[in-house]
Amino acid sequence: MIKIDIISGFLGAGKTTFIKKMIDEVYKDEKIALIENEFGEIGIDGGFLKDSGVNITEMNSGCICCSLVGDFGKNLKEVITAYHPDRIIIEPSGVGKLSDVMKSVIDIEKEQDVRLNALVTVVNAKKASKQMKAFGEFFNNQIAFATTIVLSRTQTATEAQLELCVKQMQELNPKAAVITTPWDRITGEQILNVMEGSDSLELKLLAEETHKKEEEAHSHGHGEDEHVHSHKHEEHEHTHPHGHGEDENAHSHDHEEHAHAHGADCTCGCHDHDHDHHHHHADDIFTSWGRETPHKFTKDEIEAALTALSEGETYGTVLRAKGMVENAQGGWIYFDMVPGEYEIREGEPDYTGRLCVIGTDIDETQMEKLFGIAKD
């Protein structure tokens, strides 16, 4: 199965630099083919990418998303036949609609042994507002259909610029992961984990707590806990684009919950096991609140929030809280809390700040106020 990653973004967003980082750091052991489709733009410098062992096919006479859909399909088949790559990177025109490129790849999935793997949009954090106004639906479409949004120029953006940009991205696409940490401070492997949906803090916590719950039920001979409140959340539909339907007007990357990062041996609570007919689905046991944010915190602010979560039920019945956020005084703060105790430590930069709280009857509004990221 050949993975296909679509890396979109407007001219100057940093697609070339991003692709090169991924090739140098995580794709170096894979056979890569790049299909570059430029429409009135200056193309990638094929020379330095070919030095990385990448086979480049250019489509400069038109756009994948309009008149050349048929030619694109033919071109993709030729690339597969000629190079037999492990992964194909498609870099669409900056003025193309990501939804149309995505649809073209999905159509080819029916004929070729390929899988749409990641929908990435690179956005210049300092120019997003202007580009949103200037390019309208073309810009918005690239954001709305992405599963991962990678912000560039964040190392020189002000905190206000960065937070405004993230807010705009989340308004257009609340399900996409938004990478805000400067690229030189995180690894390509961290980015790939986000792109392929294997780095969800909320899913990890839900998996841990579900497993703990099941062990407790098994050891005491209990079945379903009738007193635990049920909650259906939709936080994680974004991280695997495969399996889209044909409706282009519906955001086709919204699909069955949790299908994105799980294999047959998944332990997150989303599959029933034959040996355990009491196996719980995490969503049937816990409610959860999670946010991605570039907001910087002090250690005192995090400690005050964890103390509040530990000592009362203003925010719901909190069973676990975990996060990694940028420290306003430099570095990163990692924290982990269970009822009655918590730990705060220093950690490595993550792709963006992340907060997650799980329990029952979680009050989202109060959580946002507690961490100072209440929506306007």
Side-chain angles (χ1 to χ4, degrees), residues 10 123-144 149 151 164-173:
F10 280 86
V123 176
N124 185 328
K126 300 173 73 173
K127 294 184 178 180
S129 294
K130 292 181 179 179
Q131 290 179 334
M132 190 179 296
K133 293 177 182 177
F135 298 106
E137 65 173 307
F138 293 99
F139 181 92
N140 292 352
N141 183 277
Q142 290 194 17
I143 302 305
I149 299 167
L151 300 187
L164 173 61
C165 181
V166 170
K167 179 182 177 183
Q168 291 171 325
M169 299 301 101
Q170 291 175 337
E171 287 174 349
L172 287 169
N173 186 346

Side-chain angles (χ1 to χ4, degrees), residues 93-334:
S93 163
V95 295
K97 287 188 175 181
L98 180 55
S99 60
D100 289 339
V101 183
M102 178 186 77
K103 180 65 164 55
S104 298
V105 173
I106 291 170
D107 288 342
I108 293 167
E109 283 183 326
K110 302 170 186 175
E111 305 173 10
Q112 299 287 329
D113 190 25
V114 300
R115 175 170 65 87
L116 182 55
N117 181 63
L119 293 166
V120 179
T121 298
V122 182
V123 176
N124 185 328
K126 300 173 73 173
K127 294 184 178 180
S129 294
K130 292 181 179 179
Q131 290 179 334
M132 190 179 296
K133 293 177 182 177
F135 298 106
E137 65 173 307
F138 293 99
F139 181 92
N140 292 352
N141 183 277
Q142 290 194 17
I143 302 305
F145 282 86
T147 56
T148 304
I149 299 167
V150 183
L151 300 187
S152 63
R153 314 298 198 277
T154 59
Q155 71 274 19
T156 56
T158 66
E159 188 171 351
Q161 283 177 319
L162 188 55
E163 293 199 19
L164 173 61
C165 181
V166 170
K167 179 182 177 183
Q168 291 171 325
M169 299 301 101
Q170 291 175 337
E171 287 174 349
L172 287 169
N173 186 346
K175 294 182 175 66
V178 183
I179 296 178
T180 62
T181 302
W183 302 352
D184 60 352
R185 293 170 57 189
I186 53 174
T187 65
E189 186 68 32
Q190 286 176 286
I191 295 173
L192 184 64
N193 286 339
V194 178
M195 289 169 52
E196 296 189 338
S198 58
D199 188 17
S200 167
L201 179 62
E202 192 166 352
L203 281 183
K204 289 174 183 176
L205 281 186
L206 285 169
E208 291 175 9
E209 293 303 314
T210 301
H211 181 66
K212 185 189 301 180
K213 183 77 175 178
E214 288 172 345
E215 284 189 333
E216 291 173 355
H218 180 73
S219 63
H220 292 91
H222 295 163
E224 297 285 347
D225 186 346
E226 297 178 358
H227 300 289
V228 177
H229 297 272
S230 173
H231 175 72
K232 190 81 169 175
H233 75 276
E234 301 175 351
E235 294 294 323
H236 300 288
E237 295 173 347
H238 65 277
T239 46
H240 192 308
H242 186 61
H244 304 295
E246 299 298 324
D247 184 1
E248 293 180 69
N249 294 320
H251 285 198
S252 301
H253 58 280
D254 295 345
H255 62 96
E256 186 176 349
E257 289 185 82
H258 308 306
H260 61 281
H262 310 280
D265 58 348
C266 172
T267 59
C268 77
C270 64
H271 298 294
D272 289 331
H273 294 290
D274 293 337
H275 65 276
D276 183 7
H277 67 280
H278 292 305
H279 189 86
H280 296 86
H281 190 295
D283 291 349
D284 297 329
I285 301 175
F286 306 109
T287 60
S288 62
W289 173 85
R291 289 291 181 272
E292 294 187 349
T293 176
H295 186 77
K296 296 179 181 179
F297 296 82
T298 64
K299 184 178 178 181
D300 288 344
E301 287 172 335
I302 293 298
E303 190 159 14
L306 296 180
T307 299
L309 292 178
S310 298
E311 294 180 350
E313 295 193 357
T314 303
Y315 309 94
T317 302
V318 177
L319 301 176
R320 186 80 181 276
K322 190 171 185 177
M324 52 283 291
V325 293
E326 190 166 1
N327 190 333
Q329 299 170 332
W332 280 68
I333 299 170
Y334 279 53

